[in-house]
Amino acid sequence: MAGNWKMYKTPAETRAFFDAFEPLVAGVSNCDIAICPSFVNLEAAVGSTEGSNIAIGGQNLYPAKEGAFTGEISGLMLNALGCKYVIVAHSERREYFHEAEADVVKKVRAALEYCLTPIVCIGEKLEERESGNTEVVLGAQFDGGLAPLTPEEFSKIVIAYEPVWAIGTGRTATPQIAQETHAFIRSKIKAAFGADAAAATRILYGGSVKPDNVAKLMSEEDIDGALVGGASLDPKSFAAVVKF
Ligand code: 13P
């Protein structure tokens, strides 16, 4: 169960969040919990969660160890700060920062090089779903960004399916739509990497996940977790999502 804080919170707000959140999930051992704050809050987040069952991740990385890339952050830096995860190719990065499939492959490899688990996002836009092209779009994202990985690389990633039309809109995919799409993604994994890989890969659903809809989504066979935006900003609501 992962939270993506996007561009919200200051370091002081980050510490206050974890002061409240940590005791609420202290007894949880049946799932992995991760929060991905913005870069400037990572140190506060890692410091606040040391010794707890909460892992911290970045929201992006640049695919080089270091260099003249003004404004960018590397996997080496995330690892050195104590991060365990990094989100790759969130739809907002695809839309506003023009990230494409070739970037996904490079970023996944850069993350793995520094022992970070990449949470790789794929998802279709509203017009793509409405025109019946969901599987074409997801298939292209999978074929371009994930299929080129080696089986060993692929075994270390987490996939997040986030329909763009459900992000921040309050319009969640129905459990049935999410399940059908997750099953399609799992079939792509099976075709590319085999049945064992398909069964072992964690596929998170993201898009307006809230305490009151998480249980139904999670009851679907192919939904293994959630990537939560808005509802992860409040300690009580994210704890309720984690403990659905
Ligand atoms: P919301 O939960 O706010 O819809 O955001 C989903 C998301 O984009 C998580 O990465």
Side-chain angles (χ1 to χ4, degrees):
M1 306 303 269
N4 171 11
W5 280 2
K6 309 193 178 184
M7 198 172 73
Y8 290 96
K9 292 195 193 289
T10 63
E13 289 167 343
T14 298
R15 282 186 279 272
F17 173 93
F18 286 110
D19 284 349
F21 181 65
E22 215 180 298
L24 296 175
V25 297
V28 173
S29 60
N30 63 338
C31 70
D32 292 329
I33 306 170
I35 298 259
C36 300
S38 64
F39 293 133
V40 295
N41 295 324
L42 289 174
E43 196 166 2
V46 170
S48 298
T49 54
E50 238 166 315
S52 78
N53 56 346
I54 305 160
I56 301 300
Q59 296 177 9
N60 181 33
L61 82 169
Y62 188 81
K65 179 183 170 194
E66 57 191 9
F69 302 106
T70 302
E72 294 297 312
I73 305 279
S74 72
L76 170 75
M77 295 168 181
L78 294 175
N79 171 300
L81 270 175
C83 290
K84 299 278 183 268
Y85 293 89
V86 62
I87 298 172
V88 170
H90 189 277
S91 61
E92 288 148 18
R93 297 219 52 94
R94 291 176 186 265
E95 174 80 10
Y96 306 131
F97 304 98
H98 313 295
E99 289 188 15
E101 283 18 284
D103 301 303
V104 176
V105 180
K106 285 189 210 148
K107 289 187 176 200
V108 165
R109 292 198 165 128
L112 294 176
E113 194 169 332
Y114 295 101
C115 304
L116 300 163
T117 297
I119 302 173
V120 182
C121 302
I122 58 176
E124 81 288 358
K125 296 180 187 165
L126 183 59
E127 61 271 23
E128 293 164 342
R129 175 155 294 265
E130 286 183 339
S131 60
N133 283 319
T134 299
E135 294 193 356
V136 175
V137 170
L138 294 175
Q141 290 174 344
F142 186 93
D143 292 342
L146 297 176
L149 299 173
T150 66
E152 204 205 331
E153 288 167 341
F154 186 83
S155 71
K156 295 179 183 156
I157 75 163
V158 172
I159 295 176
Y161 166 60
E162 299 205 312
V164 178
W165 47 271
I167 294 178
T169 57
R171 192 178 159 182
T172 331
T174 62
Q176 189 198 348
I177 288 177
Q179 165 55 29
E180 278 168 16
T181 316
H182 279 230
F184 169 73
I185 295 166
R186 216 177 285 284
S187 75
K188 292 287 297 180
I189 302 171
K190 189 173 172 191
F193 295 102
D196 289 350
T201 303
R202 288 187 284 183
I203 309 177
L204 316 183
Y205 168 79
S208 297
V209 175
K210 305 273 183 263
D212 62 3
N213 61 24
V214 63
K216 281 223 170 79
L217 287 160
M218 290 299 298
S219 70
E220 297 292 344
E221 186 179 345
D222 288 300
I223 302 181
D224 304 314
L227 181 56
V228 185
S232 73
L233 292 166
D234 174 75
K236 282 202 194 106
S237 88
F238 192 49
V241 167
V242 167
K243 301 199 284 188
F244 71 92

